[in-house]
Amino acid sequence: MNIVLLGAPGAGKGTQADKLIEEFGIAHISTGDILRAAVKAGTPLGLEAKKYMDAGDLVPDSVVIGLVKDRLQEPDAQKGFILDGFPRTTVQAVALDGALSDMGREIDAAVAIDVDFEVIVKRLTSRRMCRSCGHIGNVADASCPKCGGEMYQRDDDNEATVRNRLDVYEKSTAPLIDYYKGKNLLKEIDGDRAPEDVYASVKEALGV
Ligand code: AMP
C-alpha cells in the first residue's frame, strides 16, 4: 500500500497516518517530522529549514525531495508507505513519480482530507504535541495521554503563521488535488468529523 495523504496543515493527516501505520505496519514518512528532528538535532539542514518553518513557508523543493528519496530506500518503506506532508508542490509530485518509477513502484491512492480553513485555525492554535513521542493532543492535555511526556506548542502553530501556512497551502499544494484527480488516484474525505469516523471513510476509500 503506497499512499499520499493530502490536505491543509491541521486537516488531520498525522492522526490518520498514525492509525494506518498501526493497523497496516507500513512506513510513515512525514517530511514535517523529519525536518523537526533535524531542527532539534541542530544539523545544518535543520538550521537552514528552521527559518522557513518558523515563518510557515515551504522549505525549498530540492531539500525535501532529497530527504524523501533517501527515506524511500530504507527497509521499512519497502512494504509500503504513507507520505504525510509530501508532496506539497507540483515539482515535488513530479519528482516523486520519477523516483518511484525508477524503483519500479507507484502511488496506489492519494487521500485528500478536507476541512474548512476556519475550523483548522481553531484546531491548530489549540494543538499541542508531545516532546517525547510526538503524540498530537490539544491545550487541555496537561501531559501526554500516551506516554506522560511534556506537551508543547509547535513554533508554527500561532495564528499568524497558521494563516500563512494556509495561504501557502492554497497556492502551492491545493493544485495537487487536480494532479492526482487527473491520474485517477484521488479519494476525497470529509475531515471535519471525529478521527475514528474519518478513519472509517479513509479505509472504505482505500478498499481495506
Ligand atoms: P507539517 O508538519 O507537515 O505541517 O510541516 C511543517 C513545516 O515543515 C511546513 O510548514 C514547511 O515549512 C516544512 N515542510 C514540511 N513538509 C514540506 C514539504 N513537502 N515541502 C516544503 N516544506 C515542507
Side-chain angles (χ1 to χ4, degrees):
M1 191 175 358
N2 301 330
I3 299 165
V4 165
L5 273 181
L6 294 173
K13 299 188 297 296
T15 302
Q16 296 304 317
D18 283 348
K19 290 181 183 296
L20 285 166
I21 51 165
E22 196 172 358
E23 186 165 350
F24 298 101
I26 51 182
H28 181 190
I29 305 180
S30 156
T31 41
D33 284 351
I34 297 171
L35 291 167
R36 274 185 293 280
V39 170
K40 197 172 166 190
T43 63
L45 164 73
L47 293 176
E48 165 75 6
K50 188 172 172 19
K51 51 181 194 246
Y52 297 100
M53 296 170 77
D54 282 351
D57 292 331
L58 294 182
V59 172
D61 285 331
S62 56
V63 174
V64 276
I65 288 168
L67 289 176
V68 171
K69 277 189 178 168
D70 289 349
R71 184 66 184 84
L72 285 170
Q73 301 291 344
E74 287 179 28
D76 69 325
Q78 305 319 307
K79 193 174 153 198
F81 57 78
I82 298 169
L83 279 165
D84 163 9
F86 182 96
R88 260 181 158 95
T89 63
T90 307
V91 170
Q92 293 178 17
V94 171
L96 174 64
D97 286 343
L100 288 174
S101 128
D102 288 348
M103 298 167 73
R105 305 176 69 179
E106 59 184 12
I107 299 290
D108 299 315
V111 176
I113 305 177
D114 186 40
V115 179
D116 182 82
F117 279 10
E118 286 312 310
V119 173
I120 287 184
V121 172
K122 281 202 194 92
R123 265 193 200 179
L124 285 188
T125 51
S126 62
R127 177 165 82 171
R128 298 293 182 272
M129 231 173 157
C130 174
R131 259 192 221 289
S132 308
C133 74
H135 172 76
I136 302 158
N138 64 56
V139 69
D141 298 316
S143 58
C144 176
K146 242 178 150 181
C147 77
E150 184 199 345
M151 300 297 282
Y152 77 106
Q153 182 175 35
R154 276 173 45 171
D155 291 342
D156 56 355
D157 275 349
N158 65 77
E159 184 165 345
T161 308
V162 165
R163 291 203 183 272
N164 186 43
R165 288 162 68 200
L166 290 172
D167 280 350
V168 169
Y169 171 80
E170 193 141 79
K171 249 188 257 140
S172 303
T173 312
L176 294 182
I177 303 270
D178 282 338
Y179 180 85
Y180 287 108
K181 204 181 266 175
K183 289 178 175 282
N184 260 328
L185 292 174
L186 189 73
K187 316 276 179 198
E188 289 183 280
I189 308 283
D190 171 10
D192 193 5
R193 294 174 294 153
E196 302 70 39
D197 297 340
V198 176
Y199 187 54
S201 300
V202 168
K203 283 189 16 175
E204 196 185 323
L206 292 174
V208 292

PDB file of all heavy atoms in Angstrom, residues 25-44:
ATOM      1  N   GLY A  25       1.076  -1.547   9.433  1.00  0.00           N
ATOM      2  CA  GLY A  25       2.521  -1.742   9.578  1.00  0.00           C
ATOM      3  C   GLY A  25       3.350  -1.211   8.422  1.00  0.00           C
ATOM      4  O   GLY A  25       4.392  -1.771   8.100  1.00  0.00           O
ATOM      5  N   ILE A  26       2.864  -0.145   7.775  1.00  0.00           N
ATOM      6  CA  ILE A  26       3.665   0.441   6.701  1.00  0.00           C
ATOM      7  C   ILE A  26       4.401   1.671   7.238  1.00  0.00           C
ATOM      8  O   ILE A  26       4.117   2.141   8.326  1.00  0.00           O
ATOM      9  CB  ILE A  26       2.796   0.787   5.466  1.00  0.00           C
ATOM     10  CG1 ILE A  26       1.580   1.616   5.890  1.00  0.00           C
ATOM     11  CG2 ILE A  26       2.339  -0.477   4.766  1.00  0.00           C
ATOM     12  CD1 ILE A  26       0.663   1.948   4.727  1.00  0.00           C
ATOM     13  N   ALA A  27       5.356   2.173   6.445  1.00  0.00           N
ATOM     14  CA  ALA A  27       6.212   3.265   6.937  1.00  0.00           C
ATOM     15  C   ALA A  27       5.473   4.610   6.878  1.00  0.00           C
ATOM     16  O   ALA A  27       4.770   4.897   5.909  1.00  0.00           O
ATOM     17  CB  ALA A  27       7.471   3.334   6.084  1.00  0.00           C
ATOM     18  N   HIS A  28       5.659   5.410   7.912  1.00  0.00           N
ATOM     19  CA  HIS A  28       5.090   6.758   7.962  1.00  0.00           C
ATOM     20  C   HIS A  28       6.192   7.740   7.573  1.00  0.00           C
ATOM     21  O   HIS A  28       7.168   7.894   8.302  1.00  0.00           O
ATOM     22  CB  HIS A  28       4.597   7.041   9.381  1.00  0.00           C
ATOM     23  CG  HIS A  28       3.959   8.398   9.548  1.00  0.00           C
ATOM     24  ND1 HIS A  28       3.646   8.919  10.777  1.00  0.00           N
ATOM     25  CD2 HIS A  28       3.567   9.330   8.639  1.00  0.00           C
ATOM     26  CE1 HIS A  28       3.095  10.122  10.612  1.00  0.00           C
ATOM     27  NE2 HIS A  28       3.036  10.386   9.340  1.00  0.00           N
ATOM     28  N   ILE A  29       6.051   8.377   6.436  1.00  0.00           N
ATOM     29  CA  ILE A  29       7.075   9.332   6.000  1.00  0.00           C
ATOM     30  C   ILE A  29       6.486  10.734   6.072  1.00  0.00           C
ATOM     31  O   ILE A  29       5.707  11.145   5.207  1.00  0.00           O
ATOM     32  CB  ILE A  29       7.559   9.010   4.565  1.00  0.00           C
ATOM     33  CG1 ILE A  29       8.050   7.549   4.507  1.00  0.00           C
ATOM     34  CG2 ILE A  29       8.652   9.986   4.149  1.00  0.00           C
ATOM     35  CD1 ILE A  29       8.544   7.113   3.137  1.00  0.00           C
ATOM     36  N   SER A  30       6.800  11.435   7.155  1.00  0.00           N
ATOM     37  CA  SER A  30       6.314  12.800   7.342  1.00  0.00           C
ATOM     38  C   SER A  30       7.494  13.747   7.186  1.00  0.00           C
ATOM     39  O   SER A  30       8.414  13.732   8.008  1.00  0.00           O
ATOM     40  CB  SER A  30       5.691  12.943   8.735  1.00  0.00           C
ATOM     41  OG  SER A  30       5.711  14.296   9.143  1.00  0.00           O
ATOM     42  N   THR A  31       7.471  14.558   6.134  1.00  0.00           N
ATOM     43  CA  THR A  31       8.596  15.485   5.932  1.00  0.00           C
ATOM     44  C   THR A  31       8.656  16.504   7.072  1.00  0.00           C
ATOM     45  O   THR A  31       9.740  16.905   7.484  1.00  0.00           O
ATOM     46  CB  THR A  31       8.493  16.192   4.561  1.00  0.00           C
ATOM     47  OG1 THR A  31       7.134  16.550   4.322  1.00  0.00           O
ATOM     48  CG2 THR A  31       8.978  15.292   3.454  1.00  0.00           C
ATOM     49  N   GLY A  32       7.481  16.887   7.610  1.00  0.00           N
ATOM     50  CA  GLY A  32       7.485  17.818   8.746  1.00  0.00           C
ATOM     51  C   GLY A  32       8.217  17.208   9.934  1.00  0.00           C
ATOM     52  O   GLY A  32       9.040  17.866  10.580  1.00  0.00           O
ATOM     53  N   ASP A  33       7.950  15.921  10.230  1.00  0.00           N
ATOM     54  CA  ASP A  33       8.623  15.250  11.360  1.00  0.00           C
ATOM     55  C   ASP A  33      10.128  15.141  11.106  1.00  0.00           C
ATOM     56  O   ASP A  33      10.939  15.352  12.009  1.00  0.00           O
ATOM     57  CB  ASP A  33       8.056  13.832  11.579  1.00  0.00           C
ATOM     58  CG  ASP A  33       6.683  13.853  12.253  1.00  0.00           C
ATOM     59  OD1 ASP A  33       6.255  14.935  12.691  1.00  0.00           O
ATOM     60  OD2 ASP A  33       6.042  12.776  12.325  1.00  0.00           O
ATOM     61  N   ILE A  34      10.502  14.796   9.864  1.00  0.00           N
ATOM     62  CA  ILE A  34      11.930  14.655   9.543  1.00  0.00           C
ATOM     63  C   ILE A  34      12.624  16.020   9.726  1.00  0.00           C
ATOM     64  O   ILE A  34      13.702  16.116  10.319  1.00  0.00           O
ATOM     65  CB  ILE A  34      12.130  14.147   8.086  1.00  0.00           C
ATOM     66  CG1 ILE A  34      11.530  12.742   7.926  1.00  0.00           C
ATOM     67  CG2 ILE A  34      13.607  14.158   7.706  1.00  0.00           C
ATOM     68  CD1 ILE A  34      11.480  12.233   6.473  1.00  0.00           C
ATOM     69  N   LEU A  35      11.962  17.080   9.247  1.00  0.00           N
ATOM     70  CA  LEU A  35      12.567  18.420   9.364  1.00  0.00           C
ATOM     71  C   LEU A  35      12.629  18.870  10.820  1.00  0.00           C
ATOM     72  O   LEU A  35      13.643  19.432  11.259  1.00  0.00           O
ATOM     73  CB  LEU A  35      11.764  19.428   8.522  1.00  0.00           C
ATOM     74  CG  LEU A  35      11.873  19.235   7.001  1.00  0.00           C
ATOM     75  CD1 LEU A  35      10.810  20.053   6.270  1.00  0.00           C
ATOM     76  CD2 LEU A  35      13.261  19.628   6.507  1.00  0.00           C
ATOM     77  N   ARG A  36      11.566  18.588  11.605  1.00  0.00           N
ATOM     78  CA  ARG A  36      11.597  18.980  13.031  1.00  0.00           C
ATOM     79  C   ARG A  36      12.706  18.241  13.773  1.00  0.00           C
ATOM     80  O   ARG A  36      13.357  18.803  14.648  1.00  0.00           O
ATOM     81  CB  ARG A  36      10.234  18.739  13.699  1.00  0.00           C
ATOM     82  CG  ARG A  36       9.263  19.913  13.532  1.00  0.00           C
ATOM     83  CD  ARG A  36       7.959  19.717  14.284  1.00  0.00           C
ATOM     84  NE  ARG A  36       7.177  18.620  13.729  1.00  0.00           N
ATOM     85  CZ  ARG A  36       6.419  18.721  12.639  1.00  0.00           C
ATOM     86  NH1 ARG A  36       6.317  19.863  12.002  1.00  0.00           N
ATOM     87  NH2 ARG A  36       5.742  17.682  12.184  1.00  0.00           N
ATOM     88  N   ALA A  37      12.952  16.974  13.412  1.00  0.00           N
ATOM     89  CA  ALA A  37      14.032  16.213  14.053  1.00  0.00           C
ATOM     90  C   ALA A  37      15.381  16.844  13.710  1.00  0.00           C
ATOM     91  O   ALA A  37      16.271  16.941  14.571  1.00  0.00           O
ATOM     92  CB  ALA A  37      13.988  14.753  13.605  1.00  0.00           C
ATOM     93  N   ALA A  38      15.532  17.320  12.473  1.00  0.00           N
ATOM     94  CA  ALA A  38      16.793  17.964  12.065  1.00  0.00           C
ATOM     95  C   ALA A  38      16.984  19.291  12.793  1.00  0.00           C
ATOM     96  O   ALA A  38      18.097  19.641  13.196  1.00  0.00           O
ATOM     97  CB  ALA A  38      16.798  18.174  10.547  1.00  0.00           C
ATOM     98  N   VAL A  39      15.869  20.019  13.007  1.00  0.00           N
ATOM     99  CA  VAL A  39      15.952  21.297  13.739  1.00  0.00           C
ATOM    100  C   VAL A  39      16.379  21.011  15.180  1.00  0.00           C
ATOM    101  O   VAL A  39      17.282  21.660  15.723  1.00  0.00           O
ATOM    102  CB  VAL A  39      14.579  22.019  13.734  1.00  0.00           C
ATOM    103  CG1 VAL A  39      14.590  23.216  14.691  1.00  0.00           C
ATOM    104  CG2 VAL A  39      14.216  22.481  12.320  1.00  0.00           C
ATOM    105  N   LYS A  40      15.760  19.995  15.794  1.00  0.00           N
ATOM    106  CA  LYS A  40      16.049  19.647  17.192  1.00  0.00           C
ATOM    107  C   LYS A  40      17.512  19.222  17.348  1.00  0.00           C
ATOM    108  O   LYS A  40      18.175  19.561  18.321  1.00  0.00           O
ATOM    109  CB  LYS A  40      15.116  18.494  17.603  1.00  0.00           C
ATOM    110  CG  LYS A  40      14.998  18.302  19.102  1.00  0.00           C
ATOM    111  CD  LYS A  40      13.915  17.269  19.402  1.00  0.00           C
ATOM    112  CE  LYS A  40      13.982  16.776  20.831  1.00  0.00           C
ATOM    113  NZ  LYS A  40      13.089  15.620  21.040  1.00  0.00           N
ATOM    114  N   ALA A  41      18.008  18.478  16.334  1.00  0.00           N
ATOM    115  CA  ALA A  41      19.390  17.983  16.407  1.00  0.00           C
ATOM    116  C   ALA A  41      20.395  19.078  16.045  1.00  0.00           C
ATOM    117  O   ALA A  41      21.604  18.889  16.205  1.00  0.00           O
ATOM    118  CB  ALA A  41      19.550  16.789  15.466  1.00  0.00           C
ATOM    119  N   GLY A  42      19.902  20.219  15.528  1.00  0.00           N
ATOM    120  CA  GLY A  42      20.788  21.334  15.185  1.00  0.00           C
ATOM    121  C   GLY A  42      21.705  21.046  14.007  1.00  0.00           C
ATOM    122  O   GLY A  42      22.793  21.616  13.910  1.00  0.00           O
ATOM    123  N   THR A  43      21.296  20.158  13.108  1.00  0.00           N
ATOM    124  CA  THR A  43      22.121  19.854  11.921  1.00  0.00           C
ATOM    125  C   THR A  43      22.079  21.045  10.952  1.00  0.00           C
ATOM    126  O   THR A  43      21.173  21.891  11.044  1.00  0.00           O
ATOM    127  CB  THR A  43      21.584  18.607  11.177  1.00  0.00           C
ATOM    128  OG1 THR A  43      20.267  18.927  10.704  1.00  0.00           O
ATOM    129  CG2 THR A  43      21.515  17.391  12.086  1.00  0.00           C
ATOM    130  N   PRO A  44      23.029  21.106   9.996  1.00  0.00           N
ATOM    131  CA  PRO A  44      22.992  22.202   9.006  1.00  0.00           C
ATOM    132  C   PRO A  44      21.646  22.254   8.276  1.00  0.00           C
ATOM    133  O   PRO A  44      21.087  23.332   8.053  1.00  0.00           O
ATOM    134  CB  PRO A  44      24.134  21.845   8.044  1.00  0.00           C
ATOM    135  CG  PRO A  44      25.066  20.999   8.852  1.00  0.00           C
ATOM    136  CD  PRO A  44      24.225  20.242   9.829  1.00  0.00           C
TER     137      PRO A  44
END
